[in-house]
Amino acid sequence: MAGSQDFAADSRNETALVWLNGALVAKSEAKVSIFDAGFVVGDGVWEGLRLHKGALVFLDAHLDRLFAGAAAIDLDIGLTRQGVIDALNELLDANRMTDGAHLRLMVTRGPKSAANQDPRNALGTPTVVILAEWKSPSPAIVTQGLTLATVSIRCSPASMFDMRLNSHSRLNLIIALQEAIRMGADEGIMLDPHGFVSSCNATNLFWVKDGQVRTSRGDYCFNGVTRANVIALCQANDIPIAPGDYLPEDTPGADEAFVTGTFGGLTPVRQIDGQVLRDSLPGPVTARLRGLYEALKDREAGL
């Protein structure tokens, strides 16, 4: 099976450095305490970033989400916005990366005096890690497409567990993916608390019927940067789009579908709940949006 995050191994990653609390270290030396809040209770936030033709594209949107997420859990990152940017650029320069890299920026509440969930036991020094790897989506996925299956694990409201936070706590999403894998799928479609289509376990979902792009309202799904870009591209290019409340029966009858994420961009879907979608991959609307998205990335890179 090939998921939306499938990639080919790259030997250059074996010697790529890691940014760890202000130091550039080898992967083998990149270690954190067993009392770190991220390890003990998943207490932290993170961002995925894409290096495209010399630029970290949509960086402002990602940093907005990072700092908003940290503020929501009362986590002081310990770096200014410019400080984060400087750290990202320092790592890219050290690894001589200019294109085709994927970065994961992770911030936890840091070491604690005891292994429990109480944030007051944190010692006051957050842990900040940036991984940068040469990593590009598998080209085969564009014509092969993903298989999706609706799972029983649901997206939760902010009053329970806010899906719009990029939290280190991903166990509910892992359980959803495991259920999907047992069903022979690459990712699971998760419903919202009211039974409407919300999100996949690692990506946001879009599907097309009669030329109209459909997706959830966004109240319970990931606050996806790529999702927001796709919605804006539809609106700017007269592509009908209708965010709304859709029952799971609506998706298997789609003409085409795709999922979105920072790593894969727009990844086509071949099958939903055992139903092979009508259009060949990528479908015409998906192909058009993929082209518009690539052009948007180029503009972000100043090209």
Side-chain angles (χ1 to χ4, degrees), residues 122-292:
L123 299 180
T125 305
T127 297
V128 183
V129 178
I130 310 173
L131 303 178
E133 299 174 294
W134 281 278
K135 186 186 293 184
S136 295
S138 170
I141 199 68
V142 178
T143 54
Q144 178 181 333
L146 299 175
T147 295
L148 307 181
T150 304
V151 297
S152 62
I153 304 298
R154 297 203 174 188
C155 293
S156 51
S159 59
M160 294 178 63
F161 187 94
D162 194 347
M163 290 278 291
R164 292 168 295 182
L165 292 176
N166 259 11
S167 164
H168 277 234
S169 303
R170 315 297 280 179
L171 191 57
N172 58 329
L173 306 176
I174 293 169
I175 294 171
L177 176 57
Q178 288 174 322
E179 182 179 343
I181 291 171
R182 288 193 296 270
M183 298 166 72
D186 301 305
E187 282 199 31
I189 298 175
M190 301 171 69
L191 308 182
D192 70 20
H194 308 290
F196 299 117
V197 175
S198 180
S199 170
C200 292
N201 59 270
T203 55
N204 286 120
L205 175 63
F206 292 80
W207 64 102
V208 183
K209 279 194 173 186
D210 300 322
Q212 181 190 68
V213 179
R214 298 180 179 180
T215 189
S216 71
R217 291 189 185 278
D219 295 334
Y220 303 97
C221 70
F222 302 118
N223 181 24
V225 172
T226 311
R227 179 181 194 268
N229 282 329
V230 167
I231 292 173
L233 286 171
C234 287
Q235 294 168 339
N237 291 277
D238 298 321
I239 299 173
I241 183 165
D245 295 329
Y246 296 99
L247 292 170
E249 292 80 9
D250 195 64
T251 54
D255 300 317
E256 54 185 295
F258 57 90
V259 299
T260 61
T262 296
F263 174 65
L266 282 70
T267 304
V269 171
R270 176 176 296 279
Q271 181 174 308
I272 299 177
D273 289 337
Q275 180 69 45
V276 176
L277 305 188
R278 298 186 182 95
D279 289 335
S280 58
L281 298 184
V285 177
T286 303
R288 183 182 177 195
L289 282 168
R290 281 174 57 87
L292 290 169

Side-chain angles (χ1 to χ4, degrees), residues 20-42:
L20 172 59
N21 292 333
L24 294 169
V25 299
K27 283 186 175 182
S28 60
E29 300 300 321
K31 301 173 183 178
V32 299
S33 168
I34 61 170
F35 289 97
D36 191 274
F39 178 75
V40 174
V41 288

Side-chain angles (χ1 to χ4, degrees), residues 70-98:
I73 63 172
D74 295 321
L75 170 59
D76 182 359
I77 291 176
L79 292 170
T80 64
R81 190 181 183 97
Q82 186 59 51
V84 173
I85 294 172
D86 290 344
L88 292 166
N89 288 330
E90 181 184 11
L91 180 60
L92 292 176
D93 289 344
N95 286 328
R96 298 180 180 178
M97 292 173 166
T98 57

